[in-house]
Amino acid sequence: MAAHVPQRAGVVRLSVPALWHRWPTWLPALAWLLLLAVLPWWLDLPLLVACVLALLWRTGPLQPQARLLRLALRWGLPGLLLAVLRAFGADALAWLLTLLAALAGFSLLMLLEYWLDRGRRREPSSSATDEWPALALAPIGPAGAIIELQPPQWRSLEAGLTDPLGGELRWRDEAAQLADGSQLEGVEPRCDFAADGRWLVLPLVGQRGLLLLDRRCDRRHRLRGWQLAGWYEGQPWLSRDEEHVPLAIAHVLGHDEDD
C-alpha cells in the first residue's frame, strides 16, 4: 500500500510499512513528551532550562550529547505546554495563555538552534588552522626555473667538420653530406648540433627556416619560418623572430620528445 503525494519535481511515495518501522525511534521522544505533560510545569521548566544551559556550554561534559539535548527541547516544549494547560484549567483564558507561551517558546527555540548552528559554522577546525600558515606560504603552481639558452654556434661545412657521433660532416655538390654518405639538399653550408650529437640543425637556403635532424629517432623536420634561438639541456629552442619568446622543440613539433 502506498500513498502518492504530488510535488513540484515529481511524486513522493510514502510507504506505510516504512513508517511503521520508524515508530521505535519515536517512542523515547513520545515518552519524554508525555512525562513532561504529566509532571508539574514548575518541574518541567528547570529540566528544559538545564538542557539549554548544557547546549550553550560549549566545553561542557554533555556537549557530545548535543543532538539528544536538542531533541529533548523540541519534544519537551510541547510537554511543558500541556502541563501548563493542565495546571491552569481548560478555559478560554488558559488556552490563550498556552498559545502565547507556545509562540514565545518555539520562537526562542528556533533562535537557539540558529545560534548553535551559526557558531558551529564559524568555528574553524584545528587542522585547518594549523595548515593555514603552511598553505599561505606555499608556492602556487609548479616550481619556477630560470632557463638560460646557450647561443647557437654555426660551424662551416665547407672545410669539413667532425661529427660528435663519429665520422665527418662535409659540403659536396651544393649539399651537406653526413658521415653515413646521405646528403641534405636545400640547406646552407653551415650547421650546429647538440653536445651529444643527437640534434643537427642546418638553415634552409634563403633563410626560410631550419632543417632539424633527430638522429636518435631518425627523424627529419623542415620548419619554415623558424630560427634557432639557442640550446638548453641538449634541446634546441626555436623562435619566429626576436620579438617572440623562444619555445622548446617539443612545443614546436606539438608533442613531447623522449629524453
Side-chain angles (χ1 to χ4, degrees), residues 40-58:
W41 67 269
W42 45 269
L43 287 179
D44 298 343
L45 187 59
L47 291 176
L48 297 183
V49 172
C51 293
V52 173
L53 295 178
L55 286 172
L56 294 177
W57 189 9
R58 291 300 180 87

Side-chain angles (χ1 to χ4, degrees), residues 46-177:
L47 291 176
L48 297 183
V49 172
C51 293
V52 173
L53 295 178
L55 286 172
L56 294 177
W57 189 9
R58 291 300 180 87
T59 59
L62 296 180
Q63 199 57 223
Q65 308 298 328
R67 180 175 176 274
L68 293 178
L69 293 175
R70 287 193 177 193
L71 291 177
L73 285 175
R74 295 170 188 171
W75 290 83
L77 184 57
L80 172 63
L81 296 175
L82 292 177
V84 171
L85 182 63
R86 184 173 56 84
F88 289 96
D91 55 0
L93 181 59
W95 277 103
L96 179 60
L97 293 176
T98 304
L99 291 177
L100 291 177
L103 179 60
F106 281 108
S107 299
L108 291 176
L109 180 60
M110 291 178 61
L111 289 176
L112 175 65
E113 295 204 351
Y114 173 76
W115 176 262
L116 294 175
D117 292 338
R118 181 168 173 264
R120 182 179 294 107
R121 288 193 298 267
R122 285 189 173 185
E123 187 175 80
S125 62
S126 59
S127 60
T129 305
D130 297 338
E131 293 177 359
W132 172 245
L135 293 176
L137 297 177
I140 300 176
I146 299 177
I147 298 177
E148 296 184 1
L149 298 180
Q150 181 181 358
Q153 298 179 2
W154 297 108
R155 301 168 175 85
S156 176
L157 295 174
E158 294 179 348
L161 188 64
T162 302
D163 192 341
L165 298 182
E168 190 176 13
L169 303 175
R170 296 178 179 274
W171 181 257
R172 285 186 178 179
D173 301 331
E174 301 299 325
Q177 184 177 3

